[in-house]
Amino acid sequence: MSADASHQKTATRGRLRIYLGYAPGAGATCALLREGRQRAGRGADVVVARVQTHGRPHTQALLAGLDIIPGATVRNLGAAAEINLGAVLARRPDVTLVDELADRSLLRTGHAPRWQDVQALLAAGIDVISTVSISHLASLADVVEKITGVAPAQMVPDLVVRAAVEIELVDAVPEDLRQRMAAGHIYPPPQAAAVLGGWFCSPNLSVLRELALRWLAATLTGGPRRYRPAACVPGHVHAREKVVVAVGGGPESERLIRRAARIAARSGGDLLAVHATRPGRPAAGRAAITAQQQLTRALGGSYHQLADDDVPAALLAFAHAENATQLVLGATRNSRPSALLPWRGPRLRYSAAPVASTCTSSPAHRQPTACRPLQVNPTRKGDQR
């Protein structure tokens, strides 16, 4: 490659393409490898930086003929298990295949997420094709845990995935997935039998599939923004939808932030998380606030802290100042929305600007059963479950 060509390549940011799956065995990794083979067949310089075959013969067969960059050896594991970022950057291929975007690198300090390596490749002008499961999207972690009974071990910020130039859902009929699982094509027989009798039952797979379709639909429609009437926002002709979520210091706050993020994504709007306390009273712990800030930013929102003697009035004033269209609040079984803010009825009104309110409950923790189909309640307007 000439110096001019190399400079031109690094001057343009690489393009990210994502294959989105909703359950193990749906075929995202195979789709990744098939596209890599097609691009290589058309003359592109394609390398495999990291692919997890899970010992599946069909997946391993698709690797044949592809140029694999030797992985960096993970100390004490004795295996080439991670992306050799330096080697890929030195090679400067046209396309790099990186499986499982949400995983964490065992080589990086603090086990940094793999998507950060992908960002480095894109910044170098290298196109990347990757895979993501909906169970690893930060905005859906609480919903997936409710469906499967298993909390995702890794997460990727929705913004990283939504920044892809193309996102393709790798669809599969739930019953076909169960048949493949039963035949041992996804997990070994003992493990397959366990998940078939657990969260891999047909109702759960159907809900996960619907969840993936809804998330993708919200992402695709998120570009054209909905605008409020000019009369609602003095001095502003075009104002984006804004969803304000009030959070405290408890563990339910992250659930509220995710709920508000799904509402904002559905309307193509902005997410604003607000933690309000009275002066002289302790705010949420530093760890809780840090976790809330990180989650809010990962979901593309902004985090704010307020101190006021009248917390409800401060929240309302903040929502009004930001031209918020929705205010999301939490309520436990022992509290009512009226105890949090002084309103009656389904809508809040502060000055001349109306703000729609959403109150979400915090159900008690329930242990998952062997195979408990998720009961889908009617979805509130603007919410994505």
Side-chain angles (χ1 to χ4, degrees):
M1 180 182 296
S2 68
D4 290 342
S6 177
H7 174 75
Q8 182 179 3
K9 188 171 185 177
T10 56
T12 304
R13 185 174 176 83
R15 294 161 59 89
L16 175 62
R17 177 174 171 81
I18 295 289
Y19 282 103
L20 181 68
Y22 73 89
T29 301
C30 290
L32 168 90
L33 293 173
R34 280 193 292 267
E35 180 170 350
R37 295 173 66 88
Q38 291 171 359
R39 293 202 186 190
R42 295 196 295 265
D45 182 13
V46 179
V47 301
V48 177
R50 215 284 189 168
V51 166
Q52 188 76 3
T53 66
H54 298 285
R56 298 165 189 163
H58 179 65
T59 307
Q60 291 175 334
L62 289 173
L63 274 170
L66 289 173
D67 195 354
I68 301 175
I69 298 290
T73 301
V74 180
R75 183 176 295 179
N76 298 329
L77 293 184
E82 285 300 332
I83 297 175
N84 191 333
L85 183 60
V88 179
L89 291 172
R91 166 70 177 268
R92 294 197 177 281
D94 298 319
V95 182
T96 302
L97 307 184
V98 180
D99 200 15
E100 297 180 351
L101 187 64
D103 275 6
R104 291 187 171 271
S105 171
L106 299 177
L107 293 169
R108 303 272 294 277
T109 302
H111 292 181
R114 183 169 296 152
W115 59 263
Q116 292 183 355
D117 288 339
V118 168
Q119 293 295 313
L121 295 174
L122 295 172
I126 301 171
D127 290 349
V128 176
I129 306 174
S130 189
T131 64
V132 173
S133 170
I134 61 158
S135 63
H136 294 145
L137 293 171
S139 67
L140 300 179
D142 57 331
V143 182
V144 172
E145 183 178 3
K146 183 177 180 181
I147 297 169
T148 65
V150 179
Q154 298 94 18
M155 288 183 286
V156 60
D158 291 45
L159 275 182
V160 172
V161 181
R162 288 194 169 109
V165 295
E166 294 177 286
I167 305 174
E168 181 175 334
L169 176 65
V170 182
D171 200 8
V173 178
E175 282 308 314
D176 289 347
L177 271 185
R178 285 180 54 81
Q179 290 176 10
R180 292 182 60 199
M181 182 71 79
H185 295 160
I186 301 176
Y187 292 154
Q191 189 178 359
V195 297
L196 281 171
W199 72 265
F200 215 79
C201 55
S202 292
N204 286 357
L205 290 175
S206 296
V207 175
L208 287 170
R209 184 188 187 195
E210 180 184 355
L211 188 65
L213 289 167
R214 289 191 179 191
W215 184 90
L216 186 58
T219 297
L220 294 176
T221 58
R225 305 293 184 179
R226 297 184 193 175
Y227 296 113
R228 296 172 61 192
C232 294
V233 188
H236 293 273
V237 176
H238 298 297
R240 287 167 63 166
E241 296 278 342
K242 290 189 177 182
V243 179
V244 172
V245 53
V247 296
E252 74 284 351
S253 293
E254 292 190 15
R255 176 176 174 271
L256 285 173
I257 292 171
R258 289 190 172 95
R259 171 69 67 86
R262 293 193 291 270
I263 296 173
R266 188 76 176 267
S267 63
D270 297 327
L271 169 67
L272 298 89
V274 182
H275 176 68
T277 56
R278 292 182 175 87
R281 293 202 176 183
R286 185 184 299 274
I289 289 179
T290 299
Q292 292 172 14
Q293 290 174 334
Q294 291 176 344
L295 177 60
T296 303
R297 289 165 185 162
L299 298 174
S302 59
Y303 190 87
H304 309 265
Q305 291 181 266
L306 304 175
D308 197 287
D309 289 325
D310 191 340
V311 170
L315 288 172
L316 283 170
F318 178 88
H320 175 63
E322 293 291 338
N323 296 319
T325 51
Q326 296 201 55
L327 179 58
V328 180
L329 303 166
T332 64
R333 290 181 177 179
N334 297 323
S335 67
R336 295 180 301 170
S338 56
L340 301 176
L341 285 176
W343 89 83
R344 291 289 189 273
R347 296 185 66 83
L348 287 171
R349 289 191 179 274
Y350 183 85
S351 185
V355 182
S357 62
T358 299
C359 189
T360 178
S361 60
S362 300
H365 178 71
R366 291 178 294 178
Q367 294 292 333
T369 57
C371 182
R372 175 176 53 81
L374 177 69
Q375 299 298 319
V376 182
N377 297 320
T379 305
R380 293 181 177 91
K381 183 178 179 181
D383 191 11
Q384 175 188 336
R385 300 299 299 270

